[in-house]
């Protein structure tokens, strides 16, 4: 079997990770020959051209350093202040600085130059996420003919949001240099198709831009998942039970509503707290009987919009406390830190409601983990945003429009009052879906399409955009 080379912005570190990518891919690479390539996390004045190899928790990892200026332009700048907000349809939160694009391309070229000498002829290369859209172009420019796949973990934008991104046409041409482009949901494939079928890329200067030819790139939905069996086991381990006991001592008979997210404006946290406020305002019977626990470790906190989201959330939580708290009862707890998976699994299992209401999300693995951790005899209820990719998988969740806080408040009421029979029936369908769309099936189906054998089967014929479900 050919080696697998995974490339992502950061190589995985030790300890609990608050990002979905590391959790998802560690297992895949542990089962195959190959290595993981990416940024080391170090900023230096003059990075070495060659990558350093290291073993981290049993994984072979090759890393390079970056300069502070390049990293800022590539990561906080182009990736997270332009691509992330635009792909999540938050153009109002995008900051556009022209020179960031040069840093973004420079880092992609630096990745390619350091990776190229490490590659063998039949290696398969799997590139992850929006930070590295140009990597295939840069590697092809250095003469690489290997199979290359790209997986987009975040949603694909609508065409007009795409046109707001500087250099969008070059980025789309970069995507066309991959053999496979994987997306989270059919929604994303449809948005991509809308763009590729009706391209009229804009440019104020220079000659008219040529349409991008995607005829040799297969674009398909490969919805990511979790390891549901592992979470089910984890949720009854002593470490998880310790967290459950600790919470039960603090909460008594109150029902727990749980949110677990990176602190990010895409996750809809202020709207979520507002919905909870409406639940308490409209349903006095729940006061003293429910508790919202929101776990949200800070992320990307050098970016202004993230600090503002954090401030807004602080203010909203304070407001709800001020309005409803009593000397001997608090309506909510807000914890700004990451927890290890066993503690999370314990919290998921204890929660009567898993409240997962992003305004827009590629998939949302918290929804998968919540479902997997439930007690089959007394499962909780998933309240899920329609705008998470997970909504295509979890039809039996209580799906809400997260912008409509009245609707979310009403879904919370239904969830808290739902009879055991209905909770069980819904959970059984949800768990079956989490099993079908597990992380192994995701990786196997993507890598199956990316393998050299799959390329040969196609016989070199021009390919069209395909619509594939990742698993039957
Ligand atoms: P994220 O935006 O980071 O991922 P998500 O899918 O929810 O979002 O993944 C979060 C992961 O981090 C989960 O495995 C969760 O357990 C963990 N996590 C979250 N909060 C934590 C905390 N407080 N303590 C410890 N762990 C925590 C991006 C995209 C998503 C996509 C994933 C995977 O934005 O849409 O689902 O990649 O493709």
């Amino acid at each position: 079997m050919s080696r697998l080379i995974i490339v992502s912005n950061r190589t995985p570190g030790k300890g609990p990770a608050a990002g979905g990518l590391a959790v998802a891919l560690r297992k895949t690479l542990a089962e195959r020959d190959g290595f993981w390539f990416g940024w080391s996390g170090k900023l230096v004045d003059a990075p070495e051209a060659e990558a350093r190899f290291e073993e981290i928790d049993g994984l072979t990892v090759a890393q390079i350093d970056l300069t502070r200026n390049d990293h800022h332009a590539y990561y906080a700048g182009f990736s997270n202040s332009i691509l992330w907000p635009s792909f999540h349809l938050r153009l109002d939160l995008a900051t556009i600085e022209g020179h960031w694009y040069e840093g973004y391309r420079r880092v992609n070229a630096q990745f390619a130059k350091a990776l190229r000498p490490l590659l063998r002829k039949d290696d398969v290369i799997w590139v992850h996420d929006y930070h590295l859209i140009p990597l295939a172009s840069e590697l092809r420019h250095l003469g690489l003919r290997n199979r290359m796949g790209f997986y987009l973990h975040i949603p694909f934008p609508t065409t007009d949001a795409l046109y707001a991104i500087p250099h969008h046409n070059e980025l789309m041409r970069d995507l066309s240099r991959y053999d496979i482009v994987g997306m989270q949901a059919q929604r994303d494939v449809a948005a991509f198709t809308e763009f590729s079928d009706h391209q009229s890329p804009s440019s104020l200067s220079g000659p008219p831009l040529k349409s991008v030819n995607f005829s040799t790139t297969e674009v398909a939905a490969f919805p990511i998942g979790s390891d549901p069996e592992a979470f089910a086991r984890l949720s009854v381990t002593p470490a998880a039970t310790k967290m459950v006991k600790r919470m039960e001592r603090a909460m008594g008979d109150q029902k727990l509503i749980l949110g677990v997210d990176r602190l990010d404006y895409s996750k809809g946290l202020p709207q979520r707290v507002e919905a909870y406020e409406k639940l308490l305002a409209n349903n006095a019977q729940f006061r003293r009987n429910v508790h919202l626990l929101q776990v949200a470790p800070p992320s990307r906190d050098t970016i202004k919009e993230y600090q503002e989201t954090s401030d807004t959330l602080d203010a909203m939580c304070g407001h709800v406390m001020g309005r409803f708290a009593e000397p001997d009862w608090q309506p909510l707890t807000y914890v700004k830190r990451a927890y290890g998976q066993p503690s999370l699994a314990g919290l998921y299992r204890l929660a009567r409601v898993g409240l997962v209401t992003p305004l827009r999300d590629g998939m949302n693995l918290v929804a998968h983990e919540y479902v997997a951790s439930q007690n089959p005899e007394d499962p909780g209820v998933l309240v899920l945003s329609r705008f998470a990719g997970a909504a295509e998988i979890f039809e039996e969740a209580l799906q809400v429009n997260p912008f409509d806080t009245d609707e979310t408040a009403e879904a919370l009421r239904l969830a808290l009052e739902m009879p055991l029979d209905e909770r069980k029936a819904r959970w059984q369908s949800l768990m079956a879906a989490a099993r079908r769309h597990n992380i192994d099936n995701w990786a196997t189906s993507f890598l199956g399409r990316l393998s050299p054998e799959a390329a040969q089967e196609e016989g070199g014929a021009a390919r069209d955009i395909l619509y594939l479900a990742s698993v039957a």
Side-chain angles (χ1 to χ4, degrees), residues 18 153 184 262 267 295 297 338-339 361-365 369:
H153 288 260
Q184 294 276 20
R262 268 186 317 101
K267 303 293 182 185
V295 182
Y339 285 93
D361 217 331
M363 170 54 63
N364 195 297
L365 289 176
E369 294 164 6

Side-chain angles (χ1 to χ4, degrees), residues 344-365:
L344 278 187
L347 289 172
Y348 290 143
R349 193 173 179 96
L350 182 65
R352 171 55 63 87
V353 184
L355 189 52
V356 182
T357 51
L359 305 180
R360 195 163 160 82
D361 217 331
M363 170 54 63
N364 195 297
L365 289 176

Side-chain angles (χ1 to χ4, degrees), residues 16-21 23-24 84 88 129 151-155 184 224 231 260-262 264 266-267 295-297 300 335 337-341 344 348 360-367 369 442:
L21 185 60
V23 182
W84 176 275
H88 285 87
D129 237 356
Y151 190 77
L152 183 67
H153 288 260
I154 64 177
Q184 294 276 20
I224 202 170
F231 263 90
V260 174
D261 309 77
R262 268 186 317 101
D264 190 297
S266 66
K267 303 293 182 185
V295 182
R300 304 173 195 167
V335 190
R337 54 163 288 195
Y339 285 93
Q341 285 193 337
L344 278 187
Y348 290 143
R360 195 163 160 82
D361 217 331
M363 170 54 63
N364 195 297
L365 289 176
V366 169
E369 294 164 6
W442 170 72

